[in-house]
Amino acid sequence: MNEIMAKTLSFGINGVNGFPVTVEVFGINGIPGMEIIGLPDTSVRESKDRVNAAIINSGRQMQPRRITINLAPADTKKEGPSFDLPIAIGILLASGEMVPDPGIRMDEIAMFGELSLDGLIQPISGVLPMVISAKEYGIRKVIIPAGNAKEVACIEEMEVFPAQRLEEVILHLEGKKTIQPQKTISYDHLIRGFHCSVNMSQIRGQQAARRALEVAAAGGHNLMMVGVPGSGKTMLARALPGILPPLSFSESLETTRLHSICGRLSADSGLMVERPFCAPHHSASVASLIGGGPDATPGEVSLAHNGVLFLDELPEFSRASLEALRQPLEDGFVTVSRVRRQAVYQSSFMLVAAMNPCPCGYFGSSRKNCRCTTQEIRRYLDRISGPLLDRIDIQIEVDAVPVQEIRNSRPAESSETICLRVTEARKLQLNRYRGTSIHCNSQLDGKGIRQYCILDPEAEMLLHNAVETMNMSMRAYNRILKVARTIADLEKQEKIRVHHIAEAIQYRELDQKYWR
Amino acid sequence: MGTNDFSTELLSMWLASTGIQPDKMRLLLEQFGSPEAVAEGWQQQREPFLPLLNERELSLLKRRFDEIKNSGWDARIRQFGIHAVTIVDEDYPERIKNIPAPPAILFYQGDLSALTGKCLAMVGSRRASYAGLQATEKIACDLSHAGVRIVSGFAYGIDTSAHKGCLNGPSPTAAVLGCGLNFNYPAENADLKKKVLDRGGVMISEYILDEKPLGPHFPVRNRIISGLSDAVVLMEAQIHSGSMTTVNHAAEQNRDVFVYPGDPQSELCSANHLLLREGAIYFTKAEDILEDMKWLDNKRNVGQNIDCSTAEANLTETEKRILSALRPGALGFDQLVDKTGLDAAGLLSHLTMMQIKGLVESMPGKFYQVKQ
């Protein structure tokens, strides 16, 4: 018989979702060679050379035939080296170099992995979304690179076989030596062993900023910090993920998925238990922030999904980048459209912005004189548009903590203690907004504010007073109400009282000092 | 149509629009006694018109008269509340009569009596440091409490702070513009203009309606700023700046020049230190000026805050504690937490209450101080 034929199963990625790919191998007598069809990209096309070497280095024969490999469906682009493993297995099956154990059905087992020339299986990006999709398509067994094993360890009702070498896979399929399936690790177990990377107890002084962070975390409010260089803005921002409520399993899956596609997960990291903290440099392009490139890959706003997006030196970001942030901030997702591809990525993050108060950085500093003129300062501040400012509920000023203060101050509260209060406040909000589309105070719109932010009469009077004496705008007014709602939630009070409003007003002071 | 159908203001606009030299205009007004009389004399070709004015000026008078006749300016002059005062009028500001080339005709909105009594010109750059602006506002406020009226140029920066500071006290302020009074220039100061006028102040210009704020006008108007004042106070200026022309005019007009020291390292204060080296009067606070001007007859009026003592009566215990912590000087938020023993949330809300009551103010850099 001259013709040979075999099929194996794998998955490809489109956006955050996987789709099944059948690898069909057809061989015929003729001039030896290999051709891959089915819209492969360069890395897929190059796979033939890797596969060739890997098979030989695994002690099997490559028979001289004319081989055609089709990746079905033929109308969808295939990318990345993850098809190396199914192609290699397909060739071995077709040529009869390998005879599968009768108990194994090849259409019930999906496999992905990049091969190196010596037959090792290399970790790849996007394993988590592919395994999740496989599960959705009813597949219960997958063979994956051992380096990606932890990433999918939390997925239940799935037999995951992590493989180091091509040889192991061959022996496993021949039924000669079974690979030990990955043990399922429960998500609860993962999250229990988790410690945040920057703890609030490490931050000295900065009482006002600490409190503002707590309120921001409790209500999901976006935050802006203005302060002289070296005042600890970045450190404060890094501590924010640690005081947010722990990631839930589904949140973790969402976030890990996005990171997996971008290949941002290291080999030993499993599901993400820490909320992501993304701090793109201010030279970032619109595409890198929002998502894009020829393959419509996710941007920083999506990598920060369920976490914190920190923009340091906010006025230095290009106007276009900043304006592009407005839509994901509002909707919690972005649609990235490119010629070849369109994808919708989730992007519900907390924005933390930091900036100097003026171009020289020392306006209002107690230690160094500012050299800027009022016009220079105004021009600097005007780089941030009103609509973007509108989406930032809390604004605080941060001043550098003097050295003796750092030495003398009492040990500060830890992230864990603050996190408990924040989590309580968030629960209260979830209960209140049950049945609506929102889940925290920052998402309240005008109607929601009227419905849920109920003031006692004294508080109402104070707010009106403040609006008049402190020259506040209408937009400041609504923001104060939302933040006051959160402060009341932290105290577990249903009605907003005077001192809640009074505190919330302090988080709008930059409106008066800077953006008058 | 005879000249007596026109208002004094319109006739003054007509005379001012011809651009006849101030000295010649002064002579004309002195000969005839009023703009109406000048107009009448001109129509009847009476002496001394022919010898005093040349051909060009006479034809200019004719041409401008024809233009203004049907321009509808009368209504606009009324609409903007513009008045005119000439050098022969009794309410023409006394001080400015004695300067070289005083403006023969001045236009104004508001109350000219704001320019009687003690007047100081406070000038400085548009480009100014925050510290300079703060100092200007404070000193102007203290001077205002001492009954001194502040004259300035209504521009951004120091000028605006000087006017604002004066209005924070009880005295009226005078602004001298480099454009027609119908302009809102600078646009951002529209609210300030309203406040100046509401508080019995005056907006002055020697320019006619629709005269644009052109560069060359400003050095010229600076002689009016110094001319209207007893002395000139320079807050912050660079060596090549408009404020220096005010200082030069002050020297010509025999006015004292007070110079605020400012930051010696800063380029923004370069003129200050040059002038101080050349012998300008050094001062750091309002009392210094009052003393040198021999205006310190009644001592009680400087830097007093009457509101504070009455408001203090109905303070809570905590508020008193915060206030006493702030008395020695401004404090950062963390220091205030330490001194008062309050938690951050509590302190923040107390500070808001005290800000609204006008006891405390918040400064850039998360600092708080007792409101002056």
Side-chain angles (χ1 to χ4, degrees):
Chain A
M1 196 169 77
N2 291 329
E3 300 111 14
I4 55 167
M5 175 77 205
K7 285 184 189 181
T8 52
L9 181 62
S10 186
F11 277 80
I13 289 242
N14 188 3
V16 278
N17 298 311
F19 58 94
V21 173
T22 311
V23 179
E24 300 171 342
V25 181
F26 175 73
I28 192 166
N29 285 347
I31 301 168
M34 202 192 289
E35 171 124 48
I36 300 176
I37 57 171
L39 295 185
D41 77 346
T42 313
S43 58
V44 180
R45 207 171 288 133
E46 284 171 352
S47 125
K48 59 187 174 194
D49 297 316
R50 287 192 295 271
V51 166
N52 210 335
I55 288 177
I56 290 164
N57 282 326
S58 303
R60 304 286 162 143
Q61 291 290 315
M62 244 340 248
Q63 293 174 0
R65 275 179 208 270
R66 172 132 204 95
I67 298 173
T68 304
I69 294 155
N70 179 35
L71 304 177
D75 61 347
T76 317
K77 281 242 157 213
K78 319 292 182 309
E79 278 157 10
S82 65
F83 299 107
D84 287 5
L85 182 62
I87 289 173
I89 298 296
I91 291 171
L92 290 170
L93 282 173
S95 61
E97 275 295 314
M98 181 184 116
V99 182
D101 185 83
I104 291 180
R105 290 193 50 186
M106 290 309 294
D107 57 352
E108 276 180 353
I109 185 161
M111 51 189 97
F112 349 94
E114 172 185 339
L115 292 177
S116 64
L117 300 184
D118 57 2
L120 279 173
I121 301 177
Q122 306 286 359
I124 52 171
S125 58
V127 168
L128 180 71
M130 290 196 276
V131 172
I132 292 174
S133 304
K135 190 175 164 188
E136 281 162 8
Y137 279 97
I139 308 293
R140 289 289 171 269
K141 287 176 182 166
V142 286
I143 299 174
I144 61 163
N148 293 113
K150 278 204 170 168
E151 196 178 318
V152 293
C154 283
I155 297 182
E156 286 163 355
E157 300 165 33
M158 196 73 175
E159 252 185 298
V160 176
F161 301 101
Q164 301 269 9
R165 306 185 56 89
L166 177 59
E167 229 176 319
E168 287 176 29
V169 182
I170 299 169
L171 292 173
H172 176 79
L173 293 174
E174 285 177 337
K176 288 179 182 155
K177 191 178 174 213
T178 316
I179 302 172
Q180 278 304 309
Q182 168 82 26
K183 256 193 234 147
T184 317
I185 306 170
S186 79
Y187 182 71
D188 290 341
H189 180 80
L190 264 185
I191 206 147
R192 218 170 295 135
F194 156 71
H195 292 286
C196 53
S197 47
V198 176
N199 198 302
M200 288 289 267
S201 59
Q202 293 164 271
I203 297 169
R204 291 296 155 99
Q206 304 292 19
Q207 312 270 1
R210 295 172 67 92
R211 171 70 183 170
L213 276 182
E214 179 176 337
V215 176
H221 303 286
N222 296 323
L223 177 81
M224 152 102 80
M225 289 186 279
V226 176
V228 301
S231 53
K233 302 185 287 284
T234 308
M235 176 106 166
L236 283 163
R238 280 198 187 277
L240 181 59
I243 62 170
L244 287 167
L247 273 179
S248 70
F249 180 55
S250 63
E251 280 177 328
S252 174
L253 273 185
E254 288 170 6
T255 307
T256 314
R257 229 176 179 186
L258 284 158
H259 281 247
S260 177
I261 299 171
C262 294
R264 294 279 189 105
L265 299 175
S266 57
D268 56 342
S269 71
L271 270 194
M272 297 175 65
V273 284
E274 182 164 17
R275 290 185 180 266
F277 179 86
C278 295
H281 185 253
H282 57 67
S283 59
S285 65
V286 177
S288 71
L289 279 179
I290 305 304
D295 307 319
T297 40
E300 295 285 345
V301 292
S302 301
L303 292 174
H305 178 58
N306 287 324
V308 174
L309 180 69
F310 177 54
L311 302 182
D312 202 359
E313 308 291 358
L314 189 68
E316 307 294 343
F317 279 84
S318 77
R319 186 94 190 193
S321 310
L322 291 182
E323 296 311 301
L325 282 177
R326 279 159 50 186
Q327 187 259 326
L329 270 174
E330 201 75 348
D331 301 337
F333 65 86
V334 276
T335 308
V336 182
S337 291
R338 287 295 182 274
V339 179
R340 290 202 252 161
R341 212 158 240 193
Q342 188 186 49
V344 178
Y345 297 117
Q346 285 160 304
S347 65
S348 129
F349 56 91
M350 269 179 75
L351 175 68
V352 178
M355 61 187 285
N356 295 333
C358 68
C360 87
Y362 290 96
F363 178 66
S365 162
S366 51
R367 272 162 285 282
K368 206 167 161 186
N369 282 339
C370 170
R371 289 178 286 106
C372 309
T373 64
T374 43
Q375 273 143 316
E376 280 166 359
I377 296 175
R378 146 128 335 148
R379 222 168 306 136
Y380 181 74
L381 295 174
D382 278 351
R383 290 188 206 162
I384 298 158
S385 71
L388 182 64
L389 274 180
D390 257 359
R391 287 166 174 78
I392 298 175
D393 291 347
I394 297 185
Q395 314 164 334
I396 44 162
E397 268 185 298
V398 183
D399 191 32
V401 179
V403 179
Q404 79 257 32
E405 179 93 9
I406 294 176
R407 230 180 280 142
N408 297 345
S409 63
R410 295 156 273 161
E413 233 178 347
S414 70
S415 290
E416 288 77 15
T417 332
I418 301 172
C419 186
L420 287 180
R421 290 198 297 265
V422 169
T423 311
E424 286 293 305
R426 283 282 181 116
K427 265 187 207 150
L428 216 67
Q429 293 166 42
L430 278 176
N431 276 337
R432 186 185 312 130
Y433 303 132
R434 183 162 295 150
T436 65
S437 60
I438 59 176
H439 52 265
C440 61
N441 291 334
S442 66
Q443 295 166 323
L444 285 170
D445 55 3
K447 192 168 153 251
I449 288 172
R450 277 192 300 281
Q451 189 178 347
Y452 298 111
C453 301
I454 297 156
L455 300 174
D456 72 7
E458 210 184 334
E460 185 124 29
M461 214 166 71
L462 173 74
L463 185 53
H464 282 288
N465 236 329
V467 168
E468 264 167 42
T469 53
M470 297 171 113
N471 268 330
M472 288 198 179
S473 64
M474 200 55 208
R475 68 174 183 226
Y477 184 90
N478 276 345
R479 256 129 252 278
I480 288 171
L481 282 174
K482 284 204 266 182
V483 175
R485 176 71 268 163
T486 304
I487 297 170
D489 287 344
L490 276 167
E491 284 185 14
K492 301 200 175 77
Q493 299 207 3
E494 216 19 70
K495 258 200 179 159
I496 299 174
R497 309 258 309 273
V498 149
H499 63 279
H500 303 143
I501 287 282
E503 189 187 337
I505 288 171
Q506 287 291 328
Y507 302 132
R508 295 309 294 181
E509 60 180 349
L510 299 190
D511 271 350
Q512 292 138 47
K513 284 188 214 165
Y514 298 97
W515 287 276
R516 273 187 282 210
Chain B
M1 204 190 231
T3 54
N4 38 11
D5 297 335
F6 297 133
S7 63
T8 321
E9 282 76 24
L10 189 63
L11 289 171
S12 305
M13 287 272 175
W14 165 58
L15 288 176
S17 71
T18 57
I20 292 171
Q21 289 302 311
D23 288 343
K24 225 179 231 182
M25 190 64 82
R26 181 180 191 170
L27 258 160
L28 270 180
L29 285 163
E30 278 172 354
Q31 293 277 349
F32 286 96
S34 70
E36 288 93 334
V38 174
E40 214 185 308
W42 168 71
Q43 275 208 326
Q44 295 164 7
Q45 300 284 308
R46 240 193 286 152
E47 292 288 313
F49 250 97
L50 295 176
L52 204 60
L53 297 180
N54 56 33
E55 268 309 304
R56 201 183 60 82
E57 286 162 338
L58 281 171
S59 71
L60 207 58
L61 276 171
K62 172 86 180 85
R63 204 166 71 230
R64 294 278 183 237
F65 188 78
D66 293 339
E67 279 170 21
I68 283 178
K69 209 161 50 182
N70 300 315
S71 62
W73 273 18
D74 231 359
R76 292 183 63 206
I77 286 170
R78 273 197 304 277
Q79 175 203 336
F80 289 112
I82 297 172
H83 303 286
V85 64
T86 66
I87 195 154
V88 292
D89 291 334
E90 254 176 38
D91 46 359
Y92 187 84
E94 199 55 41
R95 266 176 289 250
I96 199 170
K97 267 188 196 160
N98 314 324
I99 69 167
I105 301 168
L106 282 175
F107 302 101
Y108 67 93
Q109 292 167 302
D111 189 352
L112 210 55
S113 66
L115 286 164
T116 52
K118 300 170 248 182
C119 288
L120 277 179
M122 244 180 145
V123 297
S125 302
R126 274 178 282 244
R127 267 169 57 93
S129 70
Y130 184 76
L133 296 177
Q134 289 286 88
T136 307
E137 206 164 321
K138 167 91 170 70
I139 290 166
C141 177
D142 289 349
L143 289 169
S144 174
H145 277 289
V148 178
R149 285 97 197 263
I150 302 295
V151 183
S152 194
F154 211 62
Y156 288 127
I158 299 287
D159 286 8
T160 297
S161 292
H163 290 300
K164 277 187 183 161
C166 184
L167 292 173
N168 286 344
S171 304
T173 183
V176 186
L177 303 186
C179 58
L181 287 168
N182 55 319
F183 280 104
N184 249 338
Y185 180 86
E188 216 165 90
N189 278 355
D191 284 348
L192 184 61
K193 179 170 181 175
K194 191 170 174 300
K195 212 171 161 197
V196 168
L197 296 177
D198 287 351
R199 290 281 309 278
V202 62
M203 308 287 295
I204 302 169
S205 169
E206 60 176 328
Y207 296 101
I208 58 168
L209 278 183
D210 294 339
E211 189 71 36
K212 291 194 178 112
L214 300 175
H217 292 170
F218 292 93
V220 183
R221 78 85 208 253
N222 285 350
R223 83 184 194 287
I224 304 179
I225 297 182
S226 54
L228 288 170
S229 317
D230 294 305
V232 171
V233 179
L234 180 78
M235 289 308 296
E236 201 170 79
Q238 283 177 287
I239 290 174
H240 300 287
S241 70
S243 308
M244 281 302 272
T245 64
T246 317
V247 171
N248 292 337
H249 286 306
E252 270 173 42
Q253 298 165 357
N254 219 358
R255 310 281 196 253
D256 281 338
V257 177
F258 290 88
V259 175
Y260 188 72
D263 177 4
Q265 301 303 326
S266 168
E267 190 52 33
L268 297 174
C269 301
S270 54
N272 297 38
H273 294 277
L274 184 77
L275 289 169
L276 284 171
R277 269 183 68 78
E278 286 176 357
I281 308 170
Y282 171 92
F283 81 102
T284 55
K285 53 187 188 293
E287 285 91 331
D288 297 349
I289 301 175
L290 295 173
E291 193 185 318
D292 289 351
M293 295 300 290
K294 309 212 166 27
W295 285 344
L296 258 187
D297 42 11
N298 43 356
K299 286 202 165 127
R300 47 151 204 94
N301 44 22
V302 185
Q304 230 181 36
N305 203 334
I306 308 124
D307 294 332
C308 197
S309 49
T310 49
E312 212 158 321
N314 27 19
L315 287 184
T316 65
E317 275 311 307
T318 328
E319 286 175 340
K320 277 184 193 156
R321 201 158 73 203
I322 295 170
L323 214 53
S324 70
L326 287 175
R327 282 262 184 260
L331 283 183
F333 188 84
D334 283 347
Q335 292 160 298
L336 205 51
V337 168
D338 284 348
K339 285 213 173 173
T340 56
L342 295 166
D343 65 345
L347 183 56
L348 281 171
S349 70
H350 280 299
L351 283 169
T352 306
M353 303 301 235
M354 294 172 76
Q355 270 172 282
I356 291 173
K357 286 182 188 166
L359 298 170
V360 168
E361 63 185 342
S362 145
M363 299 192 308
K366 204 78 189 161
F367 279 81
Y368 293 87
Q369 67 177 11
V370 178
K371 195 159 183 177
Q372 308 278 323

